[in-house]
Amino acid sequence: MTVRRTGLSGPVTTPVLALDSLVRLGRARRTPTVSRRLALPAGMTSPLGCDAVAVPAHHGPLLLSRLPRAGCVYADRGEWWWIVPRGSDVVLDWPAPAHYAPGAFVPESLDAPELIHRPAGTAPYTPPIPLYVALCHLTGTAPAWSRPLSA
């Protein structure tokens, strides 16, 4: 997209970045350089793309019991990784100690996370809003939409 305006010496064209371009640029800066992607099980399709949310392993069973539906969940020694649709970080500020992994890339230094939960059907996703709300509840963090605005 470009914006056309008139300057002193004639028309000037200024490129404008769309929100999705800005999000992609931001993700490129955060993606670890040495990483591997969580592999979806055979038969799963991801039409919305995949990202992952990592939580400490001690939160994993509590979250799983509080969710109405869980998608693919992977675990290693220290973390549980939840597959969510791409872009689930655009308006959600995931509370610490969660870690958001664009593209479902996990650091290579970790043990290979193993699939510990597979949903029925072909969609690998855990709905991000219920996961976010449950995680906020467990960590004592107010959801972003309920925090007061500051000037």
Side-chain angles (χ1 to χ4, degrees), residues 1-137:
M1 172 191 264
T2 58
V3 175
R4 296 187 86 112
R5 57 188 169 86
T6 304
L8 294 175
S9 60
V12 177
T13 303
T14 305
V16 175
L17 293 176
L19 179 60
D20 61 334
S21 297
L22 292 171
V23 169
R24 267 195 308 274
L25 289 171
R27 284 184 180 159
R29 290 180 43 229
R30 292 186 310 207
T31 303
T33 55
V34 180
S35 59
R36 68 172 156 246
R37 184 180 300 238
L38 293 172
L40 295 179
M44 290 276 167
T45 60
S46 57
L48 303 175
C50 288
D51 289 345
V53 177
V55 299
H58 65 276
H59 286 319
L62 296 169
L63 285 171
L64 191 58
S65 69
R66 293 176 184 206
L67 293 173
R69 180 189 184 285
C72 290
V73 182
Y74 298 80
D76 57 29
R77 279 186 277 169
E79 296 176 302
W80 282 30
W81 299 82
W82 305 78
I83 298 295
V84 294
R86 181 179 297 138
S88 295
D89 64 331
V90 173
V91 294
L92 297 178
D93 185 17
W94 292 89
H99 167 72
Y100 194 83
F105 284 101
V106 299
E108 189 70 41
S109 60
L110 296 176
D111 294 334
E114 294 182 29
L115 182 68
I116 60 169
H117 183 269
R118 179 186 173 142
T122 60
Y125 307 117
T126 295
I129 300 295
L131 178 61
Y132 175 78
V133 170
L135 186 57
C136 284
H137 180 74

